[in-house]
Amino acid sequence: MRHTTLYGITAMTLLVLLSSACSDDEEALTPNAPFIDKFDVPVSATGAEADLRRDFYARNGCYIIFNDTLSAVRDASGNLKVETVDFEWNLTTSGRDTDERELFETIDDQREAAAVMEKYILPYIKDGAMKPHAVMPFKSIMTSKGKVVDYKESWRCLGINFADIMSTTDEAGRKTVVMEIIKKIYKSKVSYSAEKVDTFHEICEEYSGEYISDYFPEWEDERDMEIIYSLGYISYKTNKKPANEKFLTQSNDYTDFVNLVFDKTPEEVYEMYGRYEKIILKYEMVRSLVNETGIKI
């Protein structure tokens, strides 16, 4: 009986301690104030820009901002605390932000930029894993050394350089410029060396970077593309001497097919290469990788 009593007391004590701990945890986890998403338009904000941003979110489900300042408030001591979008930081990398940026500052410019963002860019990335929490159009972005920056990306915001987009007025031209930017975003996420691309490389693994004439002595100036296409390539490394011409390396071969996916419609691809089984197989592999990333083209 003595052991039973001690066991019961010990168990009861442990239960009380656990209950107390749970209560403390619950109290500690209770927020003191509701969460405020600083990409959102403050309730108190009025005016044309505020209305534009609210309407944009209502239609697209993501925020749009026109400068990188998310909040500017003074603390109890009167010190101004400014929070900005840090495009040089995400979950895995960070850097020093030295870019020179030009913003859309007038309401007319902001309306035009929002319309371009909605029509030409969001349709490719607004669904699935690529959907941005917020977007920011720039009139231009350049590094301190004068190199054009096509886009900036942080954990919760995607910034796009609109310089070339806005300077192109026709529909086809704008789509081409946008596709080049989206293509670069994809390549930054799925490089040729990514593990998920291994199956793609296996199809032409035997020939990668090798001299064509080592495998096909009949390779001459006529450059029989049937050889190239039948093996699953759509181009090769040229040279003034046919004997020195090579099959593409894995990096260049992957780039070829990424360009094919972004630059041609499926109908065009099948019309061009439909009778070459390996080309179509590789094309569909890369197309699937693009879709998995959340880019819809």
Side-chain angles (χ1 to χ4, degrees):
M1 293 292 295
R2 176 180 175 82
H3 291 293
T4 303
T5 303
L6 287 174
Y7 177 84
I9 293 173
T10 301
M12 184 62 71
T13 303
L14 180 59
L15 180 61
V16 171
L17 289 173
L18 288 173
S19 299
S20 175
C22 289
S23 298
D24 290 344
D25 287 344
E26 289 174 1
E27 184 176 350
L29 292 173
T30 301
N32 294 324
F35 170 74
I36 298 176
D37 192 327
K38 294 181 181 178
F39 287 94
D40 198 0
V41 183
V43 176
S44 60
T46 59
E49 182 181 335
D51 291 341
L52 171 63
R53 291 177 58 198
R54 289 190 183 103
D55 291 343
F56 186 92
Y57 182 84
R59 289 192 304 273
N60 301 289
C62 75
Y63 299 105
I64 187 168
I65 57 177
F66 296 102
N67 67 72
D68 59 3
T69 300
L70 297 178
S71 67
V73 295
R74 295 191 181 277
D75 60 19
S77 302
N79 299 314
L80 182 65
K81 292 188 174 182
V82 179
E83 182 178 350
T84 62
V85 180
D86 190 350
F87 284 107
E88 302 305 310
W89 181 93
N90 59 41
L91 289 178
T92 58
T93 62
S94 63
R96 184 178 179 184
D97 187 352
T98 59
D99 291 339
E100 298 176 4
R101 309 169 183 178
E102 186 180 3
L103 306 179
F104 290 99
E105 297 181 342
T106 70
I107 188 60
D108 288 339
D109 284 350
Q110 290 171 351
R111 284 181 179 137
E112 184 179 7
V116 169
M117 182 73 77
E118 188 170 355
K119 180 176 180 180
Y120 292 97
I121 298 173
L122 284 186
Y124 301 110
I125 60 173
K126 72 176 182 179
D127 298 315
M130 268 294 294
K131 181 177 181 178
H133 182 73
V135 290
M136 181 174 176
F138 293 92
K139 268 192 173 181
S140 66
I141 319 174
M142 299 186 74
T143 67
S144 57
K145 295 182 178 180
K147 182 180 178 180
V148 173
V149 178
D150 290 307
Y151 71 96
K152 304 286 288 184
E153 191 174 18
S154 74
W155 183 32
R156 303 182 75 202
C157 188
L158 174 65
I160 300 289
N161 186 348
F162 272 41
D164 289 340
I165 300 172
M166 297 301 247
S167 64
T168 307
T169 56
D170 64 285
E171 294 274 331
R174 279 191 170 177
K175 182 177 179 179
T176 298
V177 173
V178 169
M179 272 297 154
E180 286 300 315
I181 296 173
I182 301 295
K183 189 192 303 182
K184 289 178 181 179
I185 294 174
Y186 168 76
K187 287 180 179 178
S188 74
K189 297 181 180 300
V190 186
S191 73
Y192 85 95
S193 60
E195 185 176 348
K196 62 176 65 178
V197 189
D198 287 348
T199 306
F200 169 90
H201 294 312
E202 288 172 1
I203 296 173
C204 297
E205 189 172 21
E206 178 183 354
Y207 307 101
S208 180
E210 299 289 339
Y211 288 105
I212 301 174
S213 58
D214 284 351
Y215 292 82
F216 300 93
E218 69 272 23
W219 181 261
E220 296 178 353
D221 286 340
E222 287 78 13
R223 300 184 172 95
D224 183 2
M225 291 305 293
E226 286 294 318
I227 292 175
I228 299 300
Y229 295 156
S230 65
L231 295 176
Y233 292 99
I234 58 178
S235 70
Y236 62 94
K237 185 177 180 181
T238 60
N239 192 283
K240 291 181 179 180
K241 297 181 179 180
N244 292 332
E245 292 177 329
K246 295 182 177 183
F247 293 109
L248 296 186
T249 61
Q250 290 184 345
S251 174
N252 291 331
D253 185 31
Y254 178 65
T255 296
D256 256 4
F257 278 83
V258 170
N259 291 337
L260 191 64
V261 169
F262 278 89
D263 298 345
K264 302 291 184 182
T265 66
E267 293 76 16
E268 290 172 329
V269 172
Y270 274 81
E271 183 179 349
M272 294 166 64
Y273 304 113
R275 64 192 183 94
Y276 301 102
E277 181 181 353
K278 290 182 179 180
I279 289 180
I280 295 301
L281 180 59
K282 290 168 68 177
Y283 166 75
E284 291 294 350
M285 284 180 175
V286 175
R287 190 179 174 198
S288 178
L289 289 173
V290 173
N291 286 333
E292 285 177 15
T293 307
I295 297 173
K296 306 300 179 184
I297 55 176

